[in-house]
């Protein structure tokens, strides 16, 4: 009996020790060393960072039934579906999150997009957009995605063979792929129209880019003057060449949001909530923006980022656009 009691106490101590370590599954740049050090010093928790991407995050959590990590950061469109199918997350307790630190519109949108059976599974962290990155001195006529098919930029265009390209071209053609999601026949018909447009546009394409560095080198060299790409790539290029910049297309930039979610078998919820509330403080969020290049859903954080990035961000995204 004494041995059993001792074993129980030891097990209890082990669980307390585990709860002090936050196992974070995230993207590169989202947990900079200086932010981790500040958090550990101020809270007493320790942080183990595993860098990943959407596909790997879902695969890791599926393989363990939502185990191995205490906080993960998939994009908001990788939450409701995987949760309904695999049950790899647990609901967010919104009472443990300081909602006043979030940009309200972004928080409400993410809560809506990650609700399953009446429970919220995600809140927003890092966000950005995909649109057009142009050399404006050579591609001034490109105002929307479909303008990448114009004769003015023939042979000097690049985009990815990925879903955002299909979505962007659809909107530029006056179609709404999201509205057609619930109707397989309508969605198939819509995508066939986009496919035909992309086949027609193919002679304009210098290459289909696979990684951001590859694209930036193509644009820097002048081989590509018009492309579909992320805002941060355009801003980086703009710092080297003022003619090159990110442009929001006439039919709209495509937004993405990476979130915070709790894996189903996470063991350190308190540390996870502490991390969320810590990194959403405007000054801390600005440190993450300076490291990752992308902005966060922290209200007012843009005031604290590096001056050049702040200027480019505010020029691209006035408050009403956000």
């Amino acid at each position: 009996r004494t041995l059993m009691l001792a074993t129980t106490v030891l097990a209890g101590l082990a669980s307390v020790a585990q709860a002090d370590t936050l196992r974070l599954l995230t993207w590169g740049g989202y947990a900079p060393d200086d932010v981790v050090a500040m958090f550990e010093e101020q809270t007493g928790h320790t942080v183990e960072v595993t860098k990943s991407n959407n596909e790997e995050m879902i695969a890791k959590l599926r393989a363990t039934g939502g185990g191995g990590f205490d906080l993960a950061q998939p994009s908001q469109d990788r939450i409701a579906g995987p949760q309904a199918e695999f049950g790899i997350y647990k609901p967010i307790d919104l009472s443990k999150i300081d909602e006043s630190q979030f940009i309200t519109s972004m928080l409400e949108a993410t809560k809506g997009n990650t609700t399953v059976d009446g429970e919220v599974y995600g809140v927003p962290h890092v966000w950005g957009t995909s649109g057009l990155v142009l050399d404006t001195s050579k591609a001034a006529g490109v105002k929307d995605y479909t303008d990448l098919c114009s004769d003015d930029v023939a042979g000097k265009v690049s985009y990815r063979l990925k879903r955002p390209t299909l979505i962007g071209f659809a909107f530029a053609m006056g179609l709404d792929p999201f509205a057609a999601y619930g109707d397989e026949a309508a969605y198939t018909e819509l995508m066939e129209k986009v496919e035909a447009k992309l086949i027609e546009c193919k002679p304009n394409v210098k290459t289909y880019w696979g990684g951001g560095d590859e694209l930036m080198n193509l644009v820097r060299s002048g081989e590509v003057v018009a492309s579909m790409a992320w805002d941060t790539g355009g801003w980086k290029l703009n710092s080297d060449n003022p003619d090159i910049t990110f442009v929001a297309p006439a039919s709209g930039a495509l937004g993405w949001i990476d979130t915070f979610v709790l894996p189903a078998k996470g063991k350190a919820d308190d540390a996870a909530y502490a991390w969320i509330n810590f990194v959403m403080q405007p000054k801390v969020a600005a440190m993450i923006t300076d490291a990752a290049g992308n902005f966060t859903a922290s209200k007012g954080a843009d005031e604290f980022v590096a001056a050049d990035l702040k200027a480019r961000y505010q020029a691209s995204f006035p408050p009403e656009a956000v």
Side-chain angles (χ1 to χ4, degrees):
R1 186 176 175 184
T2 304
L3 181 60
M4 284 177 63
L5 181 62
T7 304
T8 303
V9 170
L10 285 171
L13 290 172
S15 67
V16 170
Q18 284 179 331
D20 283 336
T21 297
L22 174 67
R23 298 165 301 169
L24 178 61
L25 183 61
T26 188
W27 301 77
Y30 288 14
D33 291 344
D34 52 355
V35 171
V36 169
M38 285 174 58
F39 175 77
E40 291 180 336
E41 182 180 349
Q42 292 186 26
T43 67
H45 297 302
T46 55
V47 182
E48 293 177 1
V49 178
T50 299
K51 296 177 184 176
S52 190
N53 57 46
N54 274 320
E55 288 71 24
E56 286 183 1
M57 285 185 206
I58 303 302
K60 286 177 185 293
L61 294 175
R62 275 189 66 187
T64 58
F69 299 94
D70 307 299
L71 190 62
Q73 298 212 247
S75 298
Q76 67 168 356
D77 59 346
R78 310 299 178 96
I79 298 175
Q83 174 57 24
E85 192 169 354
F86 310 120
I88 56 177
Y89 308 125
K90 65 176 100 172
I92 297 274
D93 183 348
L94 294 170
S95 71
K96 294 184 177 178
I97 289 174
D98 183 357
E99 295 191 25
S100 69
Q101 295 189 135
F102 290 79
I103 296 170
T104 304
S105 59
M106 209 165 283
L107 176 62
E108 293 307 312
T110 302
K111 284 160 64 174
N113 287 333
T114 63
T115 294
V116 180
D117 296 331
E119 300 272 19
V120 172
Y121 283 85
V123 292
H125 184 212
V126 177
W127 68 279
T129 64
S130 174
L132 298 168
V133 171
L134 310 173
D135 182 335
T136 56
S137 68
K138 298 171 184 173
V142 176
K143 307 292 184 186
D144 213 337
Y145 303 105
T146 46
D147 293 333
L148 296 171
C149 304
S150 69
D151 292 340
D152 295 344
V153 289
K156 294 191 172 184
V157 164
S158 188
Y159 43 78
R160 292 190 302 162
L161 286 177
K162 295 283 186 180
R163 181 166 168 264
T165 302
L166 300 173
I167 301 295
F169 268 75
F171 277 112
M173 293 166 66
L175 307 169
D176 185 344
F178 299 128
Y181 267 5
D183 184 335
E184 186 174 343
Y187 189 76
T188 301
E189 182 183 355
L190 180 152
M191 280 300 159
E192 285 173 350
K193 291 178 182 177
V194 176
E195 178 187 26
K197 183 66 177 176
L198 289 170
I199 290 171
E200 175 193 323
C201 196
K202 188 175 181 180
N204 266 33
V205 179
K206 171 74 175 178
T207 187
Y208 299 104
W209 64 270
D213 289 341
E214 176 191 2
L215 175 65
M216 287 202 284
N217 288 334
L218 288 165
V219 176
R220 281 194 188 100
S221 69
E223 292 177 83
V224 167
V225 299
S227 61
M228 269 188 79
W230 294 297
D231 43 24
T232 48
W235 294 335
K236 285 177 183 175
L237 290 165
N238 182 257
S239 66
D240 300 328
N241 182 344
D243 287 335
I244 301 171
T245 192
F246 173 80
V247 175
S251 57
L254 301 175
W256 56 266
I257 299 176
D258 291 335
T259 66
F260 292 114
V261 298
L262 299 173
K265 296 179 182 175
K267 298 176 180 178
D269 287 0
D270 287 346
Y273 287 119
W275 176 263
I276 294 170
N277 290 326
F278 180 79
V279 300
M280 292 308 292
Q281 297 174 89
K283 288 186 178 179
V284 179
M287 294 168 67
I288 292 173
T289 292
D290 285 336
N294 291 104
F295 283 80
T296 74
S298 171
K299 190 183 297 180
D302 55 302
E303 291 299 325
F304 299 100
V305 302
D308 56 341
L309 189 55
K310 173 184 172 181
R312 293 187 188 101
Y313 166 82
Q314 293 181 342
S316 294
F317 302 112
E320 62 272 18
V322 176

